[in-house]
Amino acid sequence: MESGPAIFAGAAFTLFGGALLLWTTVRVRQGEPVVLGVAPRAAAALSGLAGTLFLALGLWCFGRL
């Protein structure tokens, strides 16, 4: 019965992390700001780090099944 919430959480974290990494990559390649009013390198680094952490957390949830 615990596999249902783990699948949902894993899917949510993985989709969010992957989308955040994809969005950050596209914005950086186009030369657009990742976050308005923040230094471009810092915003890209923090956004990439957050996306990687969410992706890893989602994969960890799937690994707990």
Side-chain angles (χ1 to χ4, degrees):
M1 191 173 296
E2 290 184 12
S3 64
I7 291 171
F8 177 76
F13 285 133
T14 304
L15 285 173
F16 180 73
L20 185 60
L21 285 174
L22 178 66
W23 181 79
T24 302
T25 303
V26 169
R27 297 293 286 188
V28 168
R29 284 186 175 230
Q30 291 178 350
E32 299 289 329
V34 177
V35 178
L36 294 175
V38 180
R41 288 186 184 193
L46 289 175
S47 181
L49 180 64
T52 303
L53 287 174
F54 277 109
L55 193 60
L57 184 58
L59 294 175
W60 179 78
C61 286
F62 283 133
R64 302 290 294 171
L65 294 176

